[in-house]
Amino acid sequence: MASSKNIIALKSILHKEIHRFMRIWVQTLVPPAITISLYFVIFGSLIGARIGEMAGFDYMSFIVPGLIMMSVITNSYSNVASSFFSAKWQRNVEEMLVAPVPNWVIVAGYVGGGMARGILVGGIVTLVAMFFVDIQIHSFAIIIITVALTSATFALGGLINAIFAGSFDDISIIPTFILTPLTYLGGVFYSISLLPEFWQGVSQINPIVYMVNAFRYGFLGISDVSLIHSFAVLGIFIVSLYTIAMVLISKGIGLRS
Amino acid sequence: MPSALAISGLEKTYKGGFHALKGIELNVEQGDFFALLGPNGAGKSTTIGIITSLVNKTAGKVSVFGHDIDLELEQAKSFIGLVPQEFNFNQFEPIMKILLNQAGYYGVERSIALGRAEKYLKQLDLWDKRNEPARQLSGGMKRRLMIARALMHEPKILILDEPTAGVDIELRRSMWNFLRELNQQGITIILTTHYLEEAEMLCRNIAIIDSGIIVENTDMKSLLAKLDIETFVFDLKPSTALQSFKQFNARAVDDHTLEVDVKKSQTINRVFDELNKHGLDVLSMRNKSNRLEELFVNLVGRGQLADENVVKEK
């Protein structure tokens, strides 16, 4: 298919995906704002006031980047996982499979949709955060690059989850048992330098540590890990997950009999 | 000029070991109106699934307008419009969006897609419903929506898997007219159906598949010519003489209805002569069943027999 036709196909999938989560905005955009407001009230205002400073910043300012990143991760992942699995379940994924849409366009379309929701929710959470704390920005470029790469990573993860999923239960297992623990242990609420040495080492194998810290660097100019390591981890994850997703779709795993 | 569809040595064995297709050979010429018939589980939907890349084949070759699906899958796909057996659109999307999305997947510009959507929705009597979610449509409307969707990229070959299943007679006939018009415009049509009358009325060529084997592949006229016996039903004035009429393997259904089997070598005049002799007055006469149906039953039976022999040989 000529490249102009691929662009039209990509725009169609993107449009469909964005329209889907915008149509059900009460389910997709409002809950993260409420959840994050509760985090700010409980961890930031009530408990945070007793904690004092963390890495030289008041606790509220310290957790804001992590909470925004947590919303981006959760929403970019769940958007693709639920949308692609619904398309499988209703069989309307066949609309794309019978059309001359290259596999990379399908992957890019769904990942783009997941990124759009992740970034939009990240923006909403940032706006909510502004009611609780004066947000400072150290490097706008780092913030944008980190949020884009992180949302792409987890959108790819959500896609792979949906490809393998055989029921709606299957798309909640990874977020519940893997994603949430990794996020909570990924330095959202604390600096990993506070941990004993052994657990600092363990934290180094949690990829979310690198994403949260790169993002926090964009806001506060501080990070527990080097930026180069953070972007290297993100790059490795994106390339690996993209390759896996392409192989799965090419082979028709979970899609073709 | 390449065939619209050329299939050779097509095999499919599913993961569980079920051998669904056993070396299918099929050729559909451009502009044809082709019927692919067979009982449930014969391999029709598997064949269609492989042609449209929804099912991975085990072996064999499939070409669409000369484009091998192993080498030029995207080109091959661009020629095909598929109307699947089961509803497979997003039930929550308005039907206009379903059509525009589908056109987009084929790289059709939005301005062109809008025009086509209006054209096909009007032709299929769905224009008033264009902004309604698909789940609110009736079964017949959903079938028409799937036809409209399959036409959005103006395919050269339209494959319809049971397009009139569960559709009432009036709507079925209007869909037949619509399909005839499409075929007259040059679109090659491949149809699977359980309504054999539908295949007989619409299709010029036919293949019958049974247990993964093509048991017949010919033109409709030649196939119907193979029919050796035809059953006629006579409505008669009520008479007790009817019970004693035994010629032509006659069966009295009730005191005024008689079924008779007429061989090709016999004339219907002879039936009338015999009825006259028995003092039976004919009020009206009709074919008992669809002619193709009788042939189909015979051929499918033969296929099963062939399959049993294959099993025995193993």
Side-chain angles (χ1 to χ4, degrees):
Chain A
M1 191 157 75
S3 58
S4 62
K5 291 193 170 185
N6 287 343
I7 298 296
I8 294 171
L10 178 60
K11 279 165 66 180
S12 295
I13 299 172
L14 265 176
H15 179 265
K16 174 176 74 74
E17 285 302 290
I18 293 169
H19 179 261
R20 189 194 74 87
F21 74 71
M22 292 299 280
R23 191 184 64 218
I24 50 172
W25 60 275
V26 176
Q27 295 171 46
T28 54
L29 304 180
V30 174
I34 294 172
T35 308
I36 245 58
S37 298
L38 291 170
Y39 274 115
F40 285 135
V41 170
I42 295 165
F43 291 99
S45 298
L46 300 178
I47 298 173
R50 292 165 185 267
I51 292 172
E53 285 193 349
M54 180 82 69
F57 291 88
D58 67 272
Y59 189 63
M60 183 81 99
S61 297
F62 181 82
I63 65 169
V64 163
L67 289 174
I68 296 169
M69 188 52 87
M70 196 164 82
S71 306
V72 171
I73 289 171
T74 310
N75 281 276
S76 52
Y77 189 94
S78 62
N79 190 74
V80 184
S82 63
S83 175
F84 197 79
F85 181 71
S86 294
K88 261 176 64 175
W89 190 69
Q90 292 193 75
R91 297 182 62 177
N92 57 295
V93 72
E94 292 176 2
E95 291 176 336
M96 276 176 285
L97 297 179
V98 300
V101 185
N103 293 333
W104 71 263
V105 172
I106 296 176
V107 173
Y110 274 90
V111 169
M115 288 174 69
R117 178 165 153 195
I119 292 167
L120 183 58
V121 167
I124 291 169
V125 170
T126 308
L127 285 175
V128 172
M130 290 167 79
F131 287 99
F132 296 89
V133 66
D134 286 330
I135 289 181
Q136 54 177 294
I137 291 174
H138 177 74
S139 168
F140 194 68
I142 299 275
I143 290 172
I144 295 298
I145 293 168
T146 309
V147 80
L149 293 179
T150 305
S151 58
T153 302
F154 285 94
L156 281 163
L159 180 63
I160 292 167
N161 189 174
I163 289 171
F164 281 115
S167 70
F168 280 101
D169 288 342
D170 294 342
I171 56 170
S172 65
I173 288 172
I174 303 278
T176 306
F177 294 104
I178 297 176
L179 220 51
T180 305
L182 284 182
T183 309
Y184 277 78
L185 299 171
V188 171
F189 297 102
Y190 56 87
S191 166
I192 60 168
S193 62
L194 296 177
L195 299 172
E197 204 170 323
F198 172 77
W199 291 108
Q200 282 189 39
V202 172
S203 295
Q204 304 276 330
I205 59 170
N206 179 357
I208 293 177
V209 164
Y210 297 91
M211 299 166 195
V212 167
N213 274 285
F215 200 56
R216 186 172 285 134
Y217 182 85
F219 281 94
L220 305 176
I222 56 162
S223 175
D224 291 333
V225 293
S226 87
L227 273 186
I228 292 171
H229 284 168
S230 291
F231 288 123
V233 166
L234 278 164
I236 290 166
F237 265 90
I238 287 176
V239 171
S240 306
L241 294 174
Y242 175 78
T243 307
I244 293 167
M246 284 294 287
V247 169
L248 292 173
I249 293 182
S250 301
K251 289 193 170 183
I253 306 291
L255 300 171
R256 298 185 174 94
S257 40
Chain B
M1 193 167 67
S3 300
L5 177 67
I7 296 176
S8 65
L10 190 62
E11 300 252 354
K12 175 64 186 177
T13 305
Y14 284 99
K15 272 184 185 168
F18 175 59
H19 199 179
L21 299 181
K22 300 163 185 166
I24 298 282
E25 304 284 336
L26 208 59
N27 204 56
V28 179
E29 296 302 329
Q30 291 188 29
D32 200 355
F33 206 134
F34 191 91
L36 180 62
L37 306 184
N40 289 331
K44 304 184 296 290
S45 294
T46 299
T47 306
I48 289 172
I50 291 171
I51 297 165
T52 54
S53 82
L54 291 175
V55 175
N56 292 326
K57 63 186 168 61
T58 307
K61 288 274 175 196
V62 177
S63 293
V64 181
F65 283 87
H67 297 280
D68 189 324
I69 63 166
D70 291 327
L71 305 172
E72 301 170 299
L73 180 60
E74 284 167 19
Q75 287 94 327
K77 281 175 168 181
S78 66
F79 288 104
I80 303 171
L82 173 67
V83 181
Q85 193 171 342
E86 291 175 32
F87 303 131
N88 69 341
F89 40 75
N90 186 337
Q91 301 276 343
F92 301 98
E93 288 278 3
I95 66 173
M96 187 57 122
K97 277 207 175 301
I98 290 172
L99 298 187
L100 295 179
N101 284 340
Q102 187 69 13
Y105 301 154
Y106 285 85
V108 178
E109 295 277 359
R110 191 174 169 83
S111 57
I112 297 169
L114 279 166
R116 286 184 192 168
E118 182 176 349
K119 175 179 141 189
Y120 292 122
L121 288 177
K122 282 181 175 170
Q123 283 182 2
L124 289 159
D125 206 18
L126 289 169
W127 180 243
D128 293 343
K129 307 280 183 187
R130 64 189 178 280
N131 295 320
E132 290 189 15
R135 69 177 183 278
Q136 290 182 5
L137 301 182
S138 68
M141 287 175 180
K142 286 176 180 170
R143 294 245 166 251
R144 282 177 282 158
L145 169 59
M146 292 208 294
I147 294 176
R149 186 184 61 177
L151 293 169
M152 285 303 290
H153 62 290
E154 303 208 320
K156 283 186 157 185
I157 180 167
L158 185 64
I159 301 174
L160 303 107
D161 196 358
E162 305 280 350
T164 56
V167 171
D168 67 51
I169 294 169
E170 189 184 358
L171 187 56
R172 197 183 305 161
R173 287 181 189 279
S174 77
M175 282 168 74
W176 291 352
N177 289 334
F178 183 70
L179 294 177
R180 275 197 197 99
E181 280 173 27
L182 290 176
N183 184 240
Q184 283 160 8
Q185 289 164 21
I187 297 177
T188 307
I189 296 181
I190 298 176
L191 179 84
T192 80
T193 181
H194 276 109
Y195 300 110
L196 298 181
E197 180 197 2
E198 188 167 272
E200 188 177 343
M201 287 184 68
L202 293 172
C203 301
R204 285 188 287 280
N205 292 296
I206 182 168
I208 295 179
I209 183 171
D210 186 32
S211 304
I213 300 166
I214 298 284
V215 294
E216 188 62 73
N217 187 358
T218 183
D219 63 279
M220 191 66 77
K221 280 184 184 169
S222 304
L223 185 66
L224 293 173
K226 289 182 181 177
L227 192 66
D228 191 41
I229 293 175
E230 210 165 341
T231 303
F232 291 93
V233 180
F234 289 87
D235 283 325
L236 308 167
K237 278 189 177 173
S239 168
T240 51
L242 192 138
Q243 298 296 335
S244 60
F245 188 86
K246 296 296 177 194
Q247 287 83 345
F248 303 98
N249 192 27
R251 284 94 58 197
V253 177
D254 51 38
D255 69 341
H256 64 279
T257 311
L258 192 69
E259 286 181 8
V260 299
D261 294 336
V262 182
K263 286 184 183 171
K264 237 179 193 176
S265 54
Q266 296 170 319
T267 64
I268 300 174
N269 291 11
R270 280 195 54 206
V271 183
F272 279 101
D273 289 343
E274 290 297 327
L275 288 169
N276 271 336
K277 280 182 195 170
H278 283 73
L280 293 165
D281 297 322
V282 178
L283 298 173
S284 66
M285 184 193 86
R286 61 188 162 85
N287 284 71
K288 185 193 176 186
S289 62
N290 176 265
R291 297 175 298 163
L292 186 57
E293 197 169 297
E294 289 183 28
L295 275 166
F296 179 77
V297 171
N298 290 337
L299 286 164
V300 166
R302 199 174 76 194
Q304 280 169 348
L305 196 65
D307 202 36
E308 280 164 17
N309 288 338
V310 170
V311 172
K312 278 176 193 167
E313 282 166 18
K314 285 177 182 170

